[in-house]
Structure formats: C-alpha cells, structure tokens
Amino acid sequence: MADPSDRGGKRVSSSRAAHVQTHGERSPAIGVNYGTVVTGDNTHLVQVQAAAFPDPAQMRPAARVVGLPRPATPVFVGRQDALEQVERALAVADGVVVSQAFVGMGGVGKSELALQYAERARDRYRLVWWITAEASAQVDAGLAELARHLVPDAARAARAEEAAAWVCGWLRAHPGWLLVLDNVTRPSDVAGLLGRLEGGHVLITSRRDVRWPGRTATVRLDLLDPDASVELITAVTGRTTSADRRAALGIAEELGFLPLALDQAAAYIRQSGITPAVYLERLRRRPARYYAKAADGDKAQATIARLWDITLETLTRDAPHAVELAAVLAHYAPDDIPRTLLGGGVEEDVEAADEALGVLASHSMVDRTYRTVRMHRLTQAAVLSKLRQTDTARRTALAWLHAAMPPGDPITEVNAWPLWRSLTPHVEAVSRHYSTGRQPRRLGDVLNKTAIFLISQGEYQRAHTMLTTAVALVEAALGPDHPDVAIPLANLASTYSDLGRAAEALPLEKRVLALTEKALGPDHPTVAICLGNLADTYRTLGRSAEALPLFERALAINEAALGSDHLAVATSLGNLARAYRALGRAAEALPLEERALAVAEAALGPDHPGVAVGLNNLASTYRALGRPAEALPLFERALTINEAALGHDHPDVAIILGNLADTCRALGRAAESLDAVKRAERIASAALGMEHPTTRALQQYAAHLRTLFGAPD
C-alpha cells in the first residue's frame, strides 16, 4: 500500500518564539514555551480534550430552536400571493426534503419573503435556522454554528466540516425542520447539502434564475406593483392623505418599484419629518440616467445610489458620525458584522459607533440585532460609490479588525474560535478593498493570524490565499532577509504541504531555516522545529536519505536544550523513526517509537490524541517488521482515541483506518480490511477533496483490495 500517512503535523504561529512548523509522521509538534501538541495530517490539537459528538439520533433539544437574523418587517405588502404559494408547496409530508428557491434582482425582497414565512410558520417546525450561503464554505460555517447551538461542548473545537456533517445526521434523525439558505450564488454550493438531507424544508434565495438541484420549485419575485408600492410608503411614513398617496406613487415610479429602495425612502421621510412631496422633489433633482452610468448599468444599484445621495446630504449636515460609520461598514462583509467590532474597543468610540448605528437603522440603511449588524450589498455599493475618499474608512475598518482579534495563539485558544469565525469573512472583505501594492503592513499581520486560525479549521486554500499576501506585505515592509519574514513564510509553506504541494513548500522551508538560524543561532529549539519541517518535506518527496541527518540534528538540539523527557523530543524521535522506516531500517525505528510513546503517555495521559500519534507510529513499525498481529491492537487503540477526541469524520481517523485496513489484509481478514478502507476513502474525500494525495492513495489502495479479494466496486 502507498501509505497515505506520509504527511506530518505542523506547528504554526504568529509568535517569533514558535514561528515555524514541525513535521513528522503524524507526530506531535511542540512550539517553544507553548506546551501545545499538534498532530497528524493537518491536525492542530491543544491539550484540552474535546468532547465527542453524541449520537445525533439521541440528541433532543429541550425547546424549539429558532435562529433568524432579525424580526420580519411589520409592513409586508405585495407578496401575499407568493407567500401563499410557498405555504401551499411546503404543506406536504415531511418524509423528504422539499425546497423552494426565491429568485430575482437585488433588493426585490427575496430574503424578506423567506423571513416572513419562517416567522409565520415557526410553530410548525422543531428547528428553524438561517444560513448566509454565498459560498460553500459559508454553508458549512452556518451548519457548524447550528452544531455549536445544539451541542456546544462537542462542537466548540470541531472543524466546520465535521460539525456540519454531524448536523446533517441530526437533521436526518429529527424530521420537521426548516433551513433558509440566503443569497446563494451557485447551485453547486448547496447541491451536496440538499442531497444529504431528508425530512424537512429548505428555502433558497438567489439572484440567479437557474436550474436548482433536487425537487426545488422556483418562485420568481418581480418589482412591486404600484398599489403595493404606495401602501408600503404610506404605511411606513404614516402619511396617508390623497396628496401623500400621489407623491408616494411618484416616488415609486422614480425608484422603479424596487422594495429595498422604497423602504429606505420611506424611512428617510419618516425620520426627517418631511412630506412625500418634498422627498419626490429632491429625488427628481437627481436624474436616474446619471446614477445608472455611475453604477455600471446595474439598475438596482443605481436606484439605491440616488437614495443614498439624498440621505448623505442630510446625514452629513445632521449626523456626520453616521456617514463615517456607514463608510466603515461598507468595507466589511454585508452580513453578521459583530457589534463588538465597532469602535475598536475604545470606550468613547464604541459609544459613538452605537449612536451612529441608531441613526443608520432609523433610515433603514442597516438592520441590527443586539449582536450583529447587516448592511445590504446594494447599500454598501452605493455608499462606496458616493464617498470617493474612503481611505480613512478603510483604515478604520482594518484597525477595528486588528483590535478585535483575540489575544494568544489562534490554535490553542479554543474559546476564542467563535470570535475568529465571526471575524474571518470581514478580514477577507477588507483585504479585497486594498489594491495590490497599496496594502499596509497591518493588513499582513491580520491576514497571517487569521490564516493560522483557518489552518486549525482545515480551510487550507483560504489560509493559503491570505498568507501569500501576508508574506508579500512583510517582505515589502522589512526586506526579504528580516527574521520576521519567517513567521508568515513558514505558515505559507504549511499550506502548500496541507494542499499536497510539497515541492512548492521545499524552497520556503529552506529559506525559513536559514532566516531562523541566522536570528537565533544553530542550537535553538526553534531551529529544531525548522529542521523537522524541512526534513519532513524531503521525506514526503521521497528523499528520506536527505531527511535523515536533519531529523538527527533536530533530535540532538531538543535533547540538549529541553531534556530527554520533553514532548519536543518525542516529536523528534517519531520523525527520525519515520525516516528509518522509509529507508528500510524498521528495526532501528522500533526503540525510537517505543521511547516516543512512553514520553507522550507520561506527559499527556493515555487518551490524548498525541498518544494516538505515538501508537500509530509504533504500530506502523511493527507492520513494517512483518508483525501485523502486534500492530493491530495499537491501531485499534489509536482509532478509538481519535474518534472520541476528533470526531468520526476527521482526516486523522481516515489515516488510521487506512493503516488498519492494511494490517487486516496482512492478517487475512478481508471483510474488515474492505470496510475500513471504504470508510477511510469516504472520510478523506469529504474532508480533503478528491485530488488530495491522501485521498488518491486511499482510492488506489481500496481498488487494490477489491481486486485482491474479488470484491465489487
């Protein structure tokens, strides 16, 4: 078998004390002065035992679960027919998933229709949950947030895809639920989810009128009709005379009967205390053709731009701090902006931001709850198009993000993960607002630390994108030979390895080692970490002879600097043993593995995932020595530990299952071998992707076993 476990754990950090990563065959990596264990294929573990997910069928909430972004608007007009159509369509048996897609242009009221249904029908469902679903990663994030609501202890430290998989199992086991997937961009982003669910209802909102997966019926929303438009404006403003109604109709015609625009115009009239006729006169002074050109022909965006021009005129005079806040908010992702982010943690700025937020909410420029703020995408675009000088707002948005980032290591501080999850989309949004060559050094720091969190969650491609920028920024600010360049550079190398691109990691690992040796001297423990990283990359590339002396040097440094019973020594022992095995010297690896396991058990206890690493290593050596009967119980114990600590769908579980399958094959236990490799293949493809080297190795081995045992595909 091509062993898919030929990949190591990595230590990543934003700290100079441990700014590099340690590789080794699924072995712990110990950063200086952290006491943190990082094991396995892309797995970053802390010395906090994670609670196992319970059987989803046995987990029953004490009360109905409702997670909606805000209350539905009390003024809901012109959509009764659509709402009744949805209610009729969803009044069906709950044995299968029934989904409805609301499609239409931006600002037409798709999300509001979904919210109205969810509010009115909430008593029909045991669970109602709203997910912003612009990308597949956001779908997993929304499901993971539901897992954290249902089983907070188990889900707190789980990766998003693991928690999402558990939620899918829970939904299948508990029919009678409603999911809302808001603002879906591509049907493919939700097709997999719809295919895994049963027993509930799904509402999808999207601008795209395309073929949706499964049994999804489409409800197309057009602009409001004139009567409904007038009713919306008069109901919100409270101005209902004949003259007011005539002016309201004129406003609706000017705004193209777009619900979002009508709501914002009505809010302005109400807040400013003017009549609809006065507002209509102001609106007509701003020809639509000018705004259509400014908005690149986007009709809805051009409409909102006209409204913002009027609102800006008033707010600049009466509440300039609200204009400043709107400009900052326009640089974040539109949904779920944490209110704790606003003000940057400075008391007087927080109070000013809260006051400004009230002004913006009164003009329907934002939606707010006690926890989050939402600014519609069209409103964000209008704000940015009208405020030509946004440098100050962009700097403020970045400064607030920097101030809001949790202290400490993003890997080890598990309690800070919910905040990291909420900040990450806003880090990405702010980064997109900076053009190449104009990004500040602070952005590099924010991207590096956020990327470390993403690596801990298994989101390697997002982390890779951030770190590519972070390295460029630090190099531009400090020069390519500054020691601090090694911090994001080592993390970037980690993502190359995580993505199965070891050849691209190699030159980066060499450069990190050179920078670290120059800064700290040749005998520093951090240099040992760098040596381990570089050596493991050589080993992954099939160059174990070049890896061996580097692993030996790393072991010597750690024993001299930290003592023979330090966990870093266990790491080095496991790394060196792996190289011996790769070179056909398994007999020399055996005592190293036995010693490494003893050190790990003494330091961590018998049920820690770091011990599972040592068990897997030792079992692999027994297997290489032709002693599968002695390897089997060690693999089985390692599997039990990792399933309890990491969940049943973690990539590390797939690795051990692959090794277990090979051991069962050697013992002639065909059925167990096939079952184990089949499960390993499924876990790896879901967690790592079909093109990942680990997945491909498991697929090839599974095909080999099926041929060997004459089993069907």
Side-chain angles (χ1 to χ4, degrees), residues 596-654:
L597 178 60
V599 171
E601 282 194 293
L604 302 173
D607 299 321
H608 193 281
V611 172
V613 173
L615 289 164
N616 182 74
N617 291 347
L618 180 57
S620 296
T621 299
Y622 277 130
R623 189 185 61 189
L625 289 168
R627 298 158 64 178
E630 294 170 85
L632 184 64
L634 301 181
F635 281 135
E636 290 175 333
R637 183 182 162 203
L639 180 64
T640 299
I641 292 172
N642 274 353
E643 285 183 321
L646 307 177
H648 292 270
D649 295 320
H650 196 282
D652 280 10
V653 172

Side-chain angles (χ1 to χ4, degrees), residues 360-566:
L360 294 175
S362 71
H363 284 84
S364 290
M365 303 300 294
V366 299
D367 294 317
R368 58 176 177 167
T369 68
Y370 73 96
R371 292 178 56 193
T372 62
V373 180
R374 174 181 179 271
M375 177 180 275
H376 197 282
R377 293 158 186 79
L378 294 179
T379 304
Q380 286 187 317
V383 169
L384 293 174
S385 70
K386 297 305 298 180
L387 297 178
R388 301 299 181 187
Q389 301 299 322
T390 59
D391 288 350
T392 299
R394 186 169 51 211
R395 285 196 299 270
T396 300
L398 178 60
W400 286 359
L401 277 172
H402 188 266
M405 287 171 25
D409 192 318
I411 294 173
T412 64
E413 298 295 332
V414 176
N415 289 333
W417 284 6
L419 178 55
W420 275 115
R421 291 185 184 104
S422 69
L423 294 178
T424 298
H426 306 296
V427 171
E428 291 173 317
V430 169
S431 180
R432 286 193 294 269
H433 283 290
Y434 281 98
S435 58
T436 302
R438 298 179 62 86
Q439 304 108 314
R441 166 71 191 280
R442 173 176 279 177
L443 178 62
D445 295 339
V446 169
L447 290 172
N448 179 68
K449 202 165 185 182
T450 306
I452 295 169
F453 166 71
L454 288 173
I455 290 171
S456 78
Q457 306 300 295
E459 297 193 48
Y460 310 122
Q461 187 56 59
R462 290 174 78 188
H464 179 80
T465 300
M466 289 187 180
L467 287 164
T468 300
T469 301
V471 169
L473 292 181
V474 176
E475 285 184 325
L478 302 177
D481 298 325
H482 194 282
D484 282 356
V485 173
I487 298 171
L489 192 66
N491 296 339
L492 179 60
S494 170
T495 63
Y496 276 120
S497 294
D498 292 330
L499 293 167
R501 298 161 60 181
E504 293 168 89
L506 185 63
L508 305 187
E509 301 284 15
K510 290 180 177 179
R511 189 173 158 206
V512 169
L513 175 61
L515 289 171
T516 306
E517 281 192 296
K518 183 177 179 181
L520 301 177
D523 299 321
H524 195 280
T526 302
V527 172
I529 295 174
C530 299
L531 288 164
N533 290 348
L534 176 58
D536 193 65
T537 301
Y538 275 129
R539 184 186 56 76
T540 300
L541 292 169
R543 298 163 62 177
S544 293
E546 293 169 85
L548 188 63
L550 302 180
F551 281 139
E552 289 173 334
R553 183 182 162 202
L555 176 61
I557 291 172
N558 280 334
E559 286 187 309
L562 304 173
S564 59
D565 295 327
H566 196 280

Side-chain angles (χ1 to χ4, degrees), residues 278-348:
V278 171
Y279 189 85
L280 178 60
E281 188 275 329
R282 294 180 182 178
L283 190 60
R284 284 174 171 165
R285 291 203 304 261
R286 295 163 173 82
R289 61 182 180 274
Y290 168 78
Y291 293 91
K293 181 178 179 181
D296 297 323
D298 186 317
K299 182 178 178 181
Q301 185 174 327
T303 299
I304 300 300
R306 292 179 72 196
L307 294 178
W308 173 244
D309 204 6
I310 296 173
T311 304
L312 177 63
E313 190 175 88
T314 299
L315 294 183
T316 300
R317 182 186 68 242
D318 299 335
H321 58 299
V323 176
E324 294 168 0
L325 179 61
V328 174
L329 294 175
H331 286 86
Y332 294 134
D335 298 308
D336 298 324
I337 304 169
R339 289 188 64 165
T340 55
L341 179 61
L342 308 185
V346 179
E347 184 175 353
E348 56 268 30

Side-chain angles (χ1 to χ4, degrees), residues 111-424:
S111 299
E112 185 60 43
L113 178 58
L115 192 58
Q116 290 286 337
Y117 175 80
E119 281 275 21
R120 297 186 189 197
R122 61 196 296 170
D123 290 342
R124 286 185 51 194
Y125 301 100
R126 67 174 65 200
L127 178 143
V128 177
W129 198 257
W130 188 286
I131 297 174
T132 300
E134 289 186 83
S136 56
Q138 288 183 300
V139 176
D140 275 353
L143 293 171
E145 187 60 32
L146 174 55
R148 287 185 281 274
H149 184 89
L150 294 172
V151 284
D153 289 340
R156 181 182 61 171
R159 287 165 42 173
E161 62 266 27
E162 297 161 1
W166 183 87
V167 164
C168 288
W170 188 92
L171 293 172
R172 288 193 298 270
H174 301 275
W177 45 261
L178 172 69
L179 286 182
V180 181
L181 305 177
D182 189 37
N183 202 46
V184 177
T185 304
R186 296 178 298 272
S188 59
D189 289 339
V190 298
L193 173 62
L194 295 179
R196 291 188 298 176
L197 297 179
E198 58 186 53
H201 296 158
V202 179
L203 297 181
I204 297 168
T205 76
S206 177
R207 297 189 187 190
R208 300 189 63 191
D209 189 0
V210 295
R211 182 176 179 181
W212 292 90
R215 301 174 55 190
T216 303
T218 299
V219 178
R220 179 166 185 83
L221 295 188
D222 293 317
L223 301 167
L224 286 180
D225 63 41
D227 288 343
S229 299
V230 170
E231 184 181 353
L232 190 158
I233 292 173
T234 55
V236 172
T237 62
R239 295 182 177 273
T240 58
T241 68
S242 297
D244 291 331
R245 294 183 67 83
R246 286 194 298 272
L249 179 59
I251 293 169
E253 291 171 342
E254 288 286 331
L255 297 179
F257 304 102
L258 183 69
L260 175 65
L262 300 178
D263 184 62
Q264 291 190 1
Y268 180 93
I269 293 168
R270 181 194 62 220
Q271 180 68 15
S272 302
I274 61 175
T275 66
V278 171
Y279 189 85
L280 178 60
E281 188 275 329
R282 294 180 182 178
L283 190 60
R284 284 174 171 165
R285 291 203 304 261
R286 295 163 173 82
R289 61 182 180 274
Y290 168 78
Y291 293 91
K293 181 178 179 181
D296 297 323
D298 186 317
K299 182 178 178 181
Q301 185 174 327
T303 299
I304 300 300
R306 292 179 72 196
L307 294 178
W308 173 244
D309 204 6
I310 296 173
T311 304
L312 177 63
E313 190 175 88
T314 299
L315 294 183
T316 300
R317 182 186 68 242
D318 299 335
H321 58 299
V323 176
E324 294 168 0
L325 179 61
V328 174
L329 294 175
H331 286 86
Y332 294 134
D335 298 308
D336 298 324
I337 304 169
R339 289 188 64 165
T340 55
L341 179 61
L342 308 185
V346 179
E347 184 175 353
E348 56 268 30
D349 292 343
V350 171
E351 293 175 358
D354 198 52
E355 180 183 343
L357 195 63
V359 175
L360 294 175
S362 71
H363 284 84
S364 290
M365 303 300 294
V366 299
D367 294 317
R368 58 176 177 167
T369 68
Y370 73 96
R371 292 178 56 193
T372 62
V373 180
R374 174 181 179 271
M375 177 180 275
H376 197 282
R377 293 158 186 79
L378 294 179
T379 304
Q380 286 187 317
V383 169
L384 293 174
S385 70
K386 297 305 298 180
L387 297 178
R388 301 299 181 187
Q389 301 299 322
T390 59
D391 288 350
T392 299
R394 186 169 51 211
R395 285 196 299 270
T396 300
L398 178 60
W400 286 359
L401 277 172
H402 188 266
M405 287 171 25
D409 192 318
I411 294 173
T412 64
E413 298 295 332
V414 176
N415 289 333
W417 284 6
L419 178 55
W420 275 115
R421 291 185 184 104
S422 69
L423 294 178
T424 298

